[in-house]
C-alpha cells in the first residue's frame, strides 16, 4: 500500500493567514528549522494508478499538482478514484467544492456526514450539474467496505470506519444532536498483502474502539493537533483547551504519546498539526521526545509504503 | 495605487486538476513557455499597509503567503482591510470560507451578491461565530463608496460598482431571476492622485456602461477567459461557447481586443485566463498580437503601480 501525505497541518495550515505566533512568524522569516505545511489530506493507493484521498482540504488543487501520480492521463481524467471524509470540518470538506469541473466524484462518508455537507448547502448544487456527478457510498461504523472507482471496479483496498470521540463542525454546532457517526477514523486494509493503515487524524480520547483499531495496524496516523491542553490559552490565541476542541493532546501523562505507548505499528505518525504545536520545530525538545518514542511527524510530501 | 496580482487564472486554475489539454499537459511537463497560475485574486492598496482583495479565490491561503505585505504584524492580525467581490462564482467566493479563523472580515458586495452567498448556505455559519465577524458593506451600481477598514478608518480609495453583462453562478442557476447586480466590475479611484483602476474580470459584452467605465482609467484589467468563442467545443472539452458562459472572447472581429481598441489606459491587462487560452503561452501568435496592441497578460506575482 502506498501512502502519500499531501497536507499535514490542522485547519488554517502552517503558517496560518492571520497568525503571528512565534512558529508562524519564524517560519515565514525563514528563521525556524521547520517547513510550511498545507492542510491535512492524504492519498492512498494499492496499485499506484488508482488513488483515494483521505479528506479534501481547501488546498486540494495545489496538493494534486504537487504529486504527479494524481495528474490526469487524458483530456478529461483524474487518477483520483474516490474521496473518504473523516468529519465535517471545513478543512476536511471544503476542497470538494473545488473539484467542481463537471467530473464524476465518488465520496465515501457516513450518512450523517453526507447530510451535514449537503443539507441546507446551496453551494453543493455546483456538484449537482448532471445526474451521477457525485456518487455517495455510505460507511457504517465497524463494517468493512470495498473501495472502488465510479464504475465499481475494485481498487484492492477495503475500508472500515471507526467511531472516534469528536465534535460537530463549527458551522453545525447548535443544530444537530451529536452522533457517533459525526467523526470517524479509517482502517484501510489491503487484502493482497494483509497490510493495515489506521488513519485517525482527529481523536478526542483513546477509547476502547480507538485502541483496538490501532493494535494490529502496520502504519498509524494519529491526531497531532496540539502538544499540550492549554496550548492556545497560554499563547493568548484562544480560550479553549485542546480537549474542548475534541483533540487529545500529545504530551503529558494522559496525552496520546503516553496512552499509545507499546503500539506494534512499524510506522507511527502524528498528523493534523496546529500551527502552534512545538512538534513543527525540527529541533524542539518535544520533537526529540516523540522521535525517541518511535513516532514521526508528518510533513507535506512524506511517503510511506507498507 | 499599488496593485498586486495574487492569482490570474479562471476557475479551476492553470493547470486544472482534471484537465489534460495541450496547455495543462505541457505546463506540467515543463515543455511549455508558460507559467502556472492560481485562480483570480488581486490585492490593491493606497498606502502599502492596508490592502483590499478583489475576489477571494479558493487558493487564498497560498496567495496571502505569496505576498509578504499581506502577512500579520501581531499575534492575531491581518493587513487585509476588506474584500470586494465581483460575482458569486465559487472561484471568486469560496476563499471567504477559508478566512474563518475568528477574524473580523469586511466584505464589499452588492446586496444580491451577499444574499446569494449567505442565504441557504449552512457553511456560512462558520463566519458567524461572534457578532460582527463579518461586516457587509453594500455596493450600489454607479454609486461611489469609501473603502475603510473594520473600524471605519478610510483607506484612501473609493470604489464604484459597474454593471457588467454576466450570469448567475452555476449553483444558483434555475433559482433566482438574473439581475444587473449579479455581476459587477470595479472602478477604484485614489483621490490623492486622481488615479483610476478599472477592474472588470468577467464581462459578457462591451456595453455602453462598460465602455464608459474604462475610458478615463489609468489601468484596466479585463476579462481574458477565452481567446475564441468556440475554444472549449473545438478542443472537445465542453459544449458551450464563450458567450454562453458570459465571457466575451478576446480575438475575432467582435472580440474585446477589437472592441476596446483605442483605450487611453497606460496599462491594459487581460486577467481570469482559462487553462485553454493560447495567451497563456508566452510564444503564441495570439500573445504577440495582444502585446503588439499594447495589452499585457496577467501572471501571478505581477505588480502595477499607477
Amino acid at each position: 500500500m502506498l501512502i502519500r501525505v499531501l497536507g499535514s497541518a490542522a485547519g488554517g495550515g502552517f503558517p496560518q493567514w492571520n497568525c503571528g505566533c512565534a512558529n508562524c512568524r519564524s517560519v515565514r522569516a525563514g528563521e525556524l528549522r521547520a517547513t510550511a505545511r498545507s492542510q491535512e489530506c492524504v492519498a492512498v493507493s494499492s496499485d499506484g494508478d488508482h488513488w483515494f484521498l483521505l479528506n479534501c482540504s481547501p488546498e486540494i488543487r495545489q496538493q494534486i499538482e504537487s504529486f504527479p501520480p494524481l495528474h490526469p492521463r487524458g483530456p478529461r481524467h483524474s487518477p483520483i478514484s474516490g474521496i473518504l471524509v473523516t468529519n465535517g470540518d471545513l478543512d476536511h470538506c471544503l476542497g470538494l467544492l473545488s473539484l467542481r469541473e463537471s467530473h464524476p466524484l465518488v465520496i465515501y462518508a457516513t450518512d450523517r456526514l453526507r447530510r451535514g455537507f449537503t443539507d441546507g448547502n446551496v453551494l453543493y448544487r455546483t456538484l449537482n450539474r448532471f445526474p451521477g456527478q457525485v456518487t455517495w457510498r455510505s460507511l457504517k461504523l465497524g463494517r468493512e467496505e470495498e473501495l472502488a472507482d465510479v464504475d465499481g471496479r475494485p481498487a484492492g483496498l477495503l475500508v472500515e470506519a471507526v467511531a472516534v470521540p469528536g465534535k460537530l463542525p463549527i458551522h453545525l454546532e447548535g443544530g444537530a444532536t451529536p452522533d457517533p457517526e459525526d467523526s470517524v477514523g479509517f482502517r484501510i486494509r489491503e487484502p493482497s498483502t494483509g497490510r493495515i493503515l489506521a488513519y485517525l487524524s482527529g481523536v478526542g480520547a483513546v477509547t476502547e474502539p480507538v485502541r483496538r483499531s490501532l493494535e494490529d495496524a502496520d502504519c498509524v496516523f494519529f491526531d497531532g493537533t496540539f502538544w499540550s491542553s492549554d496550548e492556545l490559552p497560554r499563547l493568548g490565541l484562544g480560550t479553549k483547551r485542546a480537549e474542548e476542541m475534541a483533540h487529545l493532546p500529545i504530551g503529558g501523562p494522559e496525552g496520546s504519546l503516553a496512552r499509545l505507548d507499546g503500539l506494534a505499528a512499524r510506522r507511527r505518525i502524528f498528523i493534523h498539526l496546529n500551527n502552534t504545536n512545538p512538534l513543527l520545530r525540527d529541533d524542539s525538545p518535544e520533537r526529540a521526545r516523540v522521535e525517541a518514542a518511535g513516532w514521526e511527524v508528518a510533513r507535506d510530501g512524506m511517503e510511506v509504503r507498507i
Side-chain angles (χ1 to χ4, degrees), chain A:
Chain A
M1 191 184 331
L2 309 167
I3 304 160
R4 166 89 177 198
V5 176
L6 303 175
S8 50
F14 174 57
Q16 179 178 303
W17 74 285
N18 65 338
C19 186
C21 76
N23 273 359
C24 287
R25 205 173 55 235
S26 310
V27 76
R28 285 191 187 104
E31 296 165 359
L32 199 67
R33 285 201 48 198
T35 45
R37 284 163 165 87
S38 63
Q39 293 164 91
E40 181 211 331
C41 183
V42 167
V44 177
S45 177
S46 177
D47 62 10
D49 283 330
H50 301 83
W51 291 84
F52 291 83
L53 301 182
L54 312 184
N55 289 325
C56 195
S57 97
E59 297 166 276
I60 190 63
R61 180 182 168 265
Q62 177 193 0
Q63 291 172 333
I64 290 172
E65 290 306 323
S66 75
F67 187 44
L70 298 184
H71 295 173
R73 292 168 207 144
R76 277 291 183 270
H77 173 261
S78 173
I80 299 170
S81 295
I83 303 167
L84 290 68
V85 186
T86 59
N87 66 28
D89 290 344
L90 287 187
D91 52 314
H92 294 153
C93 294
L94 198 59
L96 296 171
L97 298 174
S98 277
L99 304 181
R100 63 196 179 85
E101 276 82 19
S102 298
H103 196 95
L105 300 178
V106 174
I107 307 178
Y108 290 82
T110 64
D111 291 346
R112 283 277 297 188
L113 233 152
R114 172 180 52 76
R115 287 197 303 269
F117 186 71
T118 59
D119 289 3
N121 176 7
V122 68
L123 306 186
Y124 178 66
R125 292 187 73 218
T126 201
L127 297 180
N128 265 314
R129 297 174 69 177
F130 56 88
Q133 185 170 0
V134 179
T135 303
W136 289 91
R137 298 207 177 121
S138 172
L139 296 177
K140 298 285 179 204
L141 298 174
R143 188 180 76 185
E144 227 176 24
E145 292 288 341
E146 192 164 60
L147 292 182
D149 69 11
V150 69
D151 299 316
R153 278 184 294 259
L157 296 170
L158 303 168
V159 64
E160 176 195 334
V162 179
V164 295
K167 62 166 200 55
L168 282 164
I170 285 161
H171 62 274
L172 296 181
E173 279 176 6
T177 330
D179 184 287
E181 279 199 356
D182 288 328
S183 298
V184 301
F186 299 123
R187 274 170 62 87
I188 298 180
R189 188 163 70 85
E190 187 176 50
S192 63
T193 60
R195 299 290 187 208
I196 295 172
L197 160 67
Y199 189 87
L200 283 73
S201 61
V203 183
V206 178
T207 57
E208 235 348 84
V210 165
R211 173 173 293 281
R212 270 203 313 276
S213 75
L214 305 174
E215 270 169 359
D216 59 349
D218 299 280
C219 176
V220 166
F221 279 83
F222 200 81
D223 185 336
T225 314
F226 296 112
W227 175 261
S228 49
S229 267
D230 62 347
E231 197 162 302
L232 292 187
R234 196 156 30 86
L235 293 168
L237 298 175
T239 54
K240 287 185 181 163
R241 298 175 66 81
E243 293 85 346
E244 291 176 80
M245 290 177 276
H247 295 295
L248 179 67
I250 298 167
E254 296 301 315
S256 55
L257 193 63
R259 297 293 310 277
L260 299 178
D261 188 34
L263 272 189
R266 194 155 45 86
R267 304 289 296 265
R268 284 158 280 161
I269 302 166
F270 287 114
I271 195 167
H272 194 264
L273 293 119
N274 196 56
N275 60 73
T276 49
N277 193 325
L279 286 188
L280 289 167
R281 300 196 295 270
D282 297 344
D283 53 1
S284 68
E286 293 85 355
R287 174 72 79 90
R289 276 182 56 193
V290 303
E291 289 180 350
W295 284 78
E296 302 168 74
V297 176
R299 59 177 192 286
D300 296 12
M302 184 182 206
E303 284 194 17
V304 177
R305 269 169 197 265
I306 55 171

